Amino acid sequence: MASNRGVVYMGPGKVEVQDISFPDLVLRDGPGVNPLNVGRKCDHGVILKVVTTNICGSDQHMVRGRTTAPPGLVLGHEITGEVIEVGRDVEFIKKGDLVSVPFNIACGRCRNCKEQNTHVCLNVNPDRPGSAYGYVDMGGWVGGQSEYVMVPYADFQLLAFPDKDQAMEKILDLTMLSDIFPTGYHGAVSAGVRPGSTVYVAGAGPVGLAAAHSAQLLGASVVIVGDLNPARLEQARSFGCETINLSEHDNLGEQIEHILGVPEVDCAIDCVGFEAHGHGRDHSEAPATVLNSIMEITRAAGRLGIPGLYVTGDPGAVDEEAKVGTLKIRIGLGWAKAHTFVTGQTPVMRYHRELMMAILHGKAQIAKAVNATKISLDEAPKAYNDFDKGAARKYVIDPHGLVK
């Protein structure tokens, strides 16, 4: 049996690179695997040699101990790899294909998948609609921050790159297709960004930067990014965004007025989620801050894209209500301003092909926007620690040393 290694969550604040089982076309029992998923045969799946796999802010929530993730969970839902084995029911994906894996696991057969709502597939997670690799309460599908991984429903899900050599030249861009580029783009589309729009993006982490770049691609006239981290704001400015340092200013509308001449924007995107902090020099965790602030500064009849993660279980929350995802949101304000809210996981397959074409033909430079930084598998624990401290980087793990 071939060997395999992966990044494993060991408990709050701790990840390790460990020997893990080599994947086969069956979902075996293990940490976080729903009992009803144990033994699922995946002859419709493939085994990938992982070429790149990225560290995501959603992973960081688990590593901080802010979810109910069990120790022993193999992490990683942003996966790009080479097909080395195909199941007997796979017809169109071939051995040797270089493919992007949507982080949503989707069967392609249920009503939601047929309606392009692959983020809430009905057949892959016995707990609730929707699933992902290496993530808490998502059915237990093994994560891809590893050397090898199994991917089910290959013909439906996988995006094969048309030319492997061309793809490897742009792999630091293409690796973002599994999650953060479509996620940022979905946030911008959900917010109604169009040519001439003024846009506020809450959060300058990788998803926020991807949302800002996506807003630019969609024709926004001004993209304003707010964050508490000066280094991340500098990264946003590097590709033409206006920025607001929220650790120095607690009146967001006033700062937007300094930039635009009016204290509101056409569209807003929440790329922070449930670990949000308040604004100002003495800021502390206040999980409804972003949602309430973007309602305040978005024009009447505007739209709010909310790709930032919100959870139903947060053992480290600031109060008992927040521990079950109940936040003090000013829904009356949103109602009065006739806002449209779009939440939930991103349906990656709705966007990944067009974004791939934008990358391959030089229209999108997402790796530059998010400061893609290649590391080895063994460097992953340090990268998690640096990311937790606010590093203005998107860490891309190269398990086999294949990336130039």
Side-chain angles (χ1 to χ4, degrees), residues 11 14 22 28 50 62 74 153 162 166 174 239 339:
K14 187 175 183 182
F22 194 86
R28 307 289 183 183
V50 176
M62 288 190 292
V74 180
Y153 305 105
Q166 179 194 31
L174 294 170
F239 59 97
H339 283 156

Side-chain angles (χ1 to χ4, degrees), residues 237-286:
R237 288 192 294 274
S238 75
F239 59 97
C241 298
E242 300 284 345
T243 61
I244 298 173
N245 187 334
L246 297 170
S247 67
E248 297 179 353
H249 306 285
D250 58 9
N251 189 321
L252 179 57
E254 184 179 272
Q255 296 306 307
I256 287 174
E257 186 169 17
H258 284 321
I259 297 169
L260 298 177
V262 291
E264 63 180 16
V265 292
D266 296 321
C267 320
I269 310 169
D270 171 8
C271 298
V272 178
F274 73 104
E275 287 193 73
H277 276 231
H279 302 162
R281 297 186 183 278
D282 298 321
H283 64 82
S284 59
E285 186 168 324

Side-chain angles (χ1 to χ4, degrees), residues 142-208:
V142 179
Q145 285 175 16
S146 56
E147 295 172 325
Y148 301 91
V149 69
M150 188 269 283
V151 174
Y153 305 105
D155 278 332
F156 176 65
Q157 295 193 100
L158 295 181
L159 178 66
F161 301 133
D163 182 285
K164 288 176 69 173
D165 291 337
Q166 179 194 31
M168 286 304 296
E169 289 295 323
K170 292 180 176 284
I171 194 65
L172 289 180
D173 291 285
L174 294 170
T175 190
M176 307 304 167
L177 292 174
S178 58
D179 183 354
I180 70 159
F181 197 9
T183 293
Y185 192 80
H186 178 61
V189 169
S190 299
V193 178
R194 58 188 180 185
S197 295
T198 57
V199 184
Y200 176 71
V201 179
V207 169

Side-chain angles (χ1 to χ4, degrees), residues 206-225:
V207 169
L209 297 172
H213 185 46
S214 297
Q216 293 173 333
L217 291 174
L218 289 166
S221 58
V222 182
V223 179
I224 304 168
V225 180

Side-chain angles (χ1 to χ4, degrees), residues 14 50 55 69 79-80 89 119 168 198 213 221 296 358 393:
K14 187 175 183 182
V50 176
I55 295 176
I79 307 164
T80 305
D89 296 335
H119 54 314
M168 286 304 296
T198 57
H213 185 46
S221 58
E296 290 173 0
R393 299 176 182 272

